[in-house]
Amino acid sequence: MTQTKKYDQTVQILHDVNKHIKAIEGLYGAEQGNTAGEYAAEIRKLLKPLIPVSYTENPILNILLTDKESVMREKGISVTIKVDNVNLNFLAPIDITTIFGNLLDNAIEAAEKLEGEKYISIKIGSYHKMIAASIENNCEEVKWKNGLPVSDKGKGGGIGLLNVQSSVKKYDGNLILKSDGNKFIAELFLNS
C-alpha cells in the first residue's frame, strides 16, 4: 500500500472518529455528572495530534505540518504557520517530506537549544508562477562553511540540507539560507 493511500485512509478514519466523539458529546451534553462527556473530551485530546490540520490541499504536507507543530509545542517553541491557497500537488510526496521535513527538523533543533522565548514561523505562498516558502527560527550564532550552516552533529550532519538542495533542483528551484544575528531564515522557491 502506498504511503499516500495509507495516509488518506488514516485521515478518513480519524475524520469520522471526530464525528463520533461529537455525537457522544451531544448525547451526554444534558447528563448530570458529565462523566461520558469528560471521557469524550479526553479521547478528543488524545487524538488531536493525529488528526491532520488542513493547512493546504496537500495531504502529505498537512500530516507533516501537523506532526512537526505538535513536536514544536511539546518543546515550548511558539509556532506560526501561514499557508496561502497554493497548489502543491506538482511536488512528489518524497520531495515534500525531504524539503519540509529536513528544514523543519533543522529549525526545531536550532530553536530548542535556546533559553527563553523560542519561535518558528512557516510561510508558504505563491510568487509569480513559483511557490515561495520561508521558515524562520531564532537560534544561537550560526557558523558557516562553503555557504552552508555548520552542523554540530559531527559526521553525517548537514546531509539533510544536501538532500533538500537536490529535491529543490528537480523543480528548477532555489534554496537561500541566511542568518541575521540570532535569526535563521531558509527561503525556498519552486517552479510548479
Side-chain angles (χ1 to χ4, degrees):
M1 187 185 278
T2 68
Q3 200 66 13
T4 315
K5 267 211 186 87
K6 212 157 63 185
Y7 279 146
D8 286 348
Q9 225 173 15
T10 310
V11 171
Q12 277 172 333
I13 293 165
L14 290 170
H15 185 264
D16 285 351
V17 166
N18 210 16
K19 283 195 182 79
H20 297 313
I21 294 171
K22 274 198 181 108
I24 294 169
E25 285 172 337
L27 288 171
Y28 289 99
E31 161 220 26
Q32 297 308 303
N34 204 18
T35 46
E38 282 165 20
Y39 179 49
E42 281 301 306
I43 293 173
R44 181 191 296 284
K45 223 170 33 196
L46 201 66
L47 290 172
K48 192 174 186 301
L50 300 175
I51 301 171
V53 179
S54 282
Y55 298 103
T56 71
E57 295 292 307
N58 189 294
I60 305 286
L61 187 58
N62 288 343
I63 287 165
L64 188 89
L65 289 174
T66 301
D67 177 47
K68 298 297 179 197
E69 183 178 9
S70 73
V71 170
M72 292 178 218
R73 295 202 187 283
E74 254 167 52
K75 294 178 183 285
I77 300 169
S78 71
V79 193
T80 316
I81 300 177
K82 187 179 176 300
V83 182
D84 294 341
N85 187 9
V86 288
N87 185 344
L88 300 169
N89 295 336
F90 69 94
L91 290 169
I94 192 157
D95 292 320
I96 289 176
T97 309
T98 299
I99 293 169
F100 292 98
N102 279 304
L103 292 177
L104 288 170
D105 284 347
N106 289 354
I108 291 167
E109 267 172 46
E112 75 176 318
K113 289 180 190 157
L114 294 171
E115 296 295 319
E117 200 190 327
K118 314 162 202 224
Y119 77 88
I120 294 177
S121 164
I122 303 156
K123 291 184 190 132
I124 303 173
S126 53
Y127 180 74
H128 299 302
K129 285 192 169 126
M130 298 177 98
I131 295 297
S134 79
I135 297 169
E136 182 184 310
N137 58 278
N138 55 350
C139 56
E140 294 167 341
E141 196 67 43
V142 180
K143 295 182 193 74
W144 295 84
K145 186 178 179 183
N146 304 330
L148 290 175
V150 177
S151 170
D152 54 13
K153 284 185 278 199
K155 201 166 162 50
I159 290 172
L161 275 176
L162 297 175
N163 291 344
V164 170
Q165 283 179 324
S166 76
S167 280
V168 166
K169 275 200 183 96
K170 289 184 197 172
Y171 303 94
D172 292 324
N174 202 352
L175 174 67
I176 301 158
L177 304 171
K178 49 192 179 189
S179 64
D180 176 7
N182 59 349
K183 186 163 77 176
F184 187 86
I185 303 163
E187 281 182 346
L188 192 64
F189 296 95
L190 302 164
N191 275 299
S192 49

